[in-house]
PDB file of all heavy atoms in Angstrom:
ATOM      1  N   ASN A 318     -21.611 -27.220 -47.049  1.00 97.00           N
ATOM      2  CA  ASN A 318     -22.202 -28.322 -47.815  1.00 97.00           C
ATOM      3  C   ASN A 318     -22.584 -27.957 -49.247  1.00 97.00           C
ATOM      4  O   ASN A 318     -22.332 -28.677 -50.182  1.00 97.00           O
ATOM      5  CB  ASN A 318     -23.448 -28.901 -47.088  1.00 97.00           C
ATOM      6  CG  ASN A 318     -23.573 -30.413 -47.303  1.00 97.00           C
ATOM      7  OD1 ASN A 318     -24.381 -31.104 -46.658  1.00 97.00           O
ATOM      8  ND2 ASN A 318     -22.869 -30.972 -48.261  1.00 97.00           N
ATOM      9  N   TYR A 332     -15.516 -38.625 -61.934  1.00 97.00           N
ATOM     10  CA  TYR A 332     -15.510 -39.230 -60.605  1.00 97.00           C
ATOM     11  C   TYR A 332     -15.121 -40.688 -60.573  1.00 97.00           C
ATOM     12  O   TYR A 332     -14.239 -41.112 -59.787  1.00 97.00           O
ATOM     13  CB  TYR A 332     -16.889 -38.997 -59.923  1.00 97.00           C
ATOM     14  CG  TYR A 332     -16.961 -39.623 -58.575  1.00 97.00           C
ATOM     15  CD1 TYR A 332     -16.438 -38.890 -57.417  1.00 97.00           C
ATOM     16  CD2 TYR A 332     -17.451 -40.900 -58.341  1.00 97.00           C
ATOM     17  CE1 TYR A 332     -16.495 -39.454 -56.166  1.00 97.00           C
ATOM     18  CE2 TYR A 332     -17.512 -41.434 -57.065  1.00 97.00           C
ATOM     19  CZ  TYR A 332     -17.039 -40.711 -56.000  1.00 97.00           C
ATOM     20  OH  TYR A 332     -17.089 -41.258 -54.762  1.00 97.00           O
ATOM     21  N   ALA A 368     -26.131 -40.644 -50.183  1.00 98.00           N
ATOM     22  CA  ALA A 368     -24.905 -40.129 -50.730  1.00 98.00           C
ATOM     23  C   ALA A 368     -24.487 -41.022 -51.870  1.00 98.00           C
ATOM     24  O   ALA A 368     -23.337 -41.489 -51.933  1.00 98.00           O
ATOM     25  CB  ALA A 368     -23.801 -40.017 -49.687  1.00 98.00           C
ATOM     26  N   GLU A 390     -29.133 -38.378 -53.342  1.00 98.00           N
ATOM     27  CA  GLU A 390     -27.809 -37.698 -53.646  1.00 98.00           C
ATOM     28  C   GLU A 390     -28.154 -36.285 -53.932  1.00 98.00           C
ATOM     29  O   GLU A 390     -29.017 -35.967 -54.757  1.00 98.00           O
ATOM     30  CB  GLU A 390     -27.147 -38.412 -54.851  1.00 98.00           C
ATOM     31  CG  GLU A 390     -26.043 -37.656 -55.580  1.00 98.00           C
ATOM     32  CD  GLU A 390     -24.879 -37.309 -54.636  1.00 98.00           C
ATOM     33  OE1 GLU A 390     -24.421 -38.169 -53.862  1.00 98.00           O
ATOM     34  OE2 GLU A 390     -24.440 -36.141 -54.702  1.00 98.00           O
ATOM     35  N   PRO A 391     -27.449 -35.297 -53.272  1.00 98.00           N
ATOM     36  CA  PRO A 391     -27.797 -33.902 -53.536  1.00 98.00           C
ATOM     37  C   PRO A 391     -27.200 -33.279 -54.833  1.00 98.00           C
ATOM     38  O   PRO A 391     -27.619 -32.300 -55.295  1.00 98.00           O
ATOM     39  CB  PRO A 391     -27.220 -33.169 -52.324  1.00 98.00           C
ATOM     40  CG  PRO A 391     -26.114 -34.073 -51.805  1.00 98.00           C
ATOM     41  CD  PRO A 391     -26.501 -35.472 -52.184  1.00 98.00           C
ATOM     42  N   ILE A 412     -30.747 -33.683 -49.856  1.00 98.00           N
ATOM     43  CA  ILE A 412     -29.569 -33.667 -48.982  1.00 98.00           C
ATOM     44  C   ILE A 412     -29.998 -34.337 -47.656  1.00 98.00           C
ATOM     45  O   ILE A 412     -31.116 -34.160 -47.195  1.00 98.00           O
ATOM     46  CB  ILE A 412     -29.126 -32.230 -48.828  1.00 98.00           C
ATOM     47  CG1 ILE A 412     -27.876 -32.099 -48.017  1.00 98.00           C
ATOM     48  CG2 ILE A 412     -30.249 -31.344 -48.172  1.00 98.00           C
ATOM     49  CD1 ILE A 412     -27.264 -30.687 -48.146  1.00 98.00           C
ATOM     50  N   LEU A 413     -29.034 -35.014 -47.047  1.00 98.00           N
ATOM     51  CA  LEU A 413     -29.246 -35.523 -45.687  1.00 98.00           C
ATOM     52  C   LEU A 413     -28.699 -34.411 -44.751  1.00 98.00           C
ATOM     53  O   LEU A 413     -27.527 -34.107 -44.735  1.00 98.00           O
ATOM     54  CB  LEU A 413     -28.443 -36.803 -45.480  1.00 98.00           C
ATOM     55  CG  LEU A 413     -28.630 -37.494 -44.181  1.00 98.00           C
ATOM     56  CD1 LEU A 413     -30.066 -38.047 -44.061  1.00 98.00           C
ATOM     57  CD2 LEU A 413     -27.625 -38.661 -44.060  1.00 98.00           C
ATOM     58  N   VAL A 431     -22.250 -44.772 -47.872  1.00 98.00           N
ATOM     59  CA  VAL A 431     -20.854 -45.128 -48.219  1.00 98.00           C
ATOM     60  C   VAL A 431     -20.055 -43.857 -48.533  1.00 98.00           C
ATOM     61  O   VAL A 431     -20.300 -43.139 -49.471  1.00 98.00           O
ATOM     62  CB  VAL A 431     -20.897 -46.024 -49.508  1.00 98.00           C
ATOM     63  CG1 VAL A 431     -19.469 -46.403 -49.946  1.00 98.00           C
ATOM     64  CG2 VAL A 431     -21.732 -47.311 -49.263  1.00 98.00           C
ATOM     65  N   GLY A 432     -19.133 -43.577 -47.670  1.00 98.00           N
ATOM     66  CA  GLY A 432     -18.147 -42.495 -47.882  1.00 98.00           C
ATOM     67  C   GLY A 432     -18.772 -41.170 -48.090  1.00 98.00           C
ATOM     68  O   GLY A 432     -18.276 -40.335 -48.911  1.00 98.00           O
TER      69      GLY A 432
HETATM   70  C1  SAM B 749     -17.028 -39.406 -51.855  1.00 73.71           C
HETATM   71  S1  SAM B 749     -18.633 -39.302 -52.590  1.00 73.71           S
HETATM   72  C2  SAM B 749     -19.279 -40.955 -52.262  1.00 73.71           C
HETATM   73  C3  SAM B 749     -20.280 -41.333 -53.340  1.00 73.71           C
HETATM   74  C4  SAM B 749     -20.597 -42.862 -53.367  1.00 73.71           C
HETATM   75  N1  SAM B 749     -21.257 -43.270 -52.162  1.00 73.71           N
HETATM   76  C5  SAM B 749     -19.354 -43.649 -53.618  1.00 73.71           C
HETATM   77  O1  SAM B 749     -18.947 -44.415 -52.711  1.00 73.71           O
HETATM   78  O2  SAM B 749     -18.796 -43.535 -54.707  1.00 73.71           O
HETATM   79  C6  SAM B 749     -19.500 -38.348 -51.408  1.00 73.71           C
HETATM   80  C7  SAM B 749     -20.926 -38.039 -51.832  1.00 73.71           C
HETATM   81  O3  SAM B 749     -21.611 -37.437 -50.734  1.00 73.71           O
HETATM   82  C8  SAM B 749     -22.565 -36.545 -51.268  1.00 73.71           C
HETATM   83  N2  SAM B 749     -23.003 -35.624 -50.211  1.00 73.71           N
HETATM   84  C9  SAM B 749     -22.427 -34.523 -49.711  1.00 73.71           C
HETATM   85  N3  SAM B 749     -23.115 -33.990 -48.719  1.00 73.71           N
HETATM   86  C10 SAM B 749     -24.209 -34.767 -48.555  1.00 73.71           C
HETATM   87  C11 SAM B 749     -25.341 -34.726 -47.728  1.00 73.71           C
HETATM   88  N4  SAM B 749     -25.451 -33.789 -46.772  1.00 73.71           N
HETATM   89  N5  SAM B 749     -26.294 -35.644 -47.872  1.00 73.71           N
HETATM   90  C12 SAM B 749     -26.150 -36.645 -48.822  1.00 73.71           C
HETATM   91  N6  SAM B 749     -25.112 -36.774 -49.592  1.00 73.71           N
HETATM   92  C13 SAM B 749     -24.143 -35.814 -49.523  1.00 73.71           C
HETATM   93  C14 SAM B 749     -21.722 -35.872 -52.353  1.00 73.71           C
HETATM   94  O4  SAM B 749     -22.593 -35.099 -53.279  1.00 73.71           O
HETATM   95  C15 SAM B 749     -21.005 -37.040 -52.970  1.00 73.71           C
HETATM   96  O5  SAM B 749     -21.754 -37.632 -54.035  1.00 73.71           O
END
Side-chain angles (χ1 to χ4, degrees):
N318 213 168
Y332 179 84
E390 165 60 45
I412 186 166
L413 185 66
V431 179

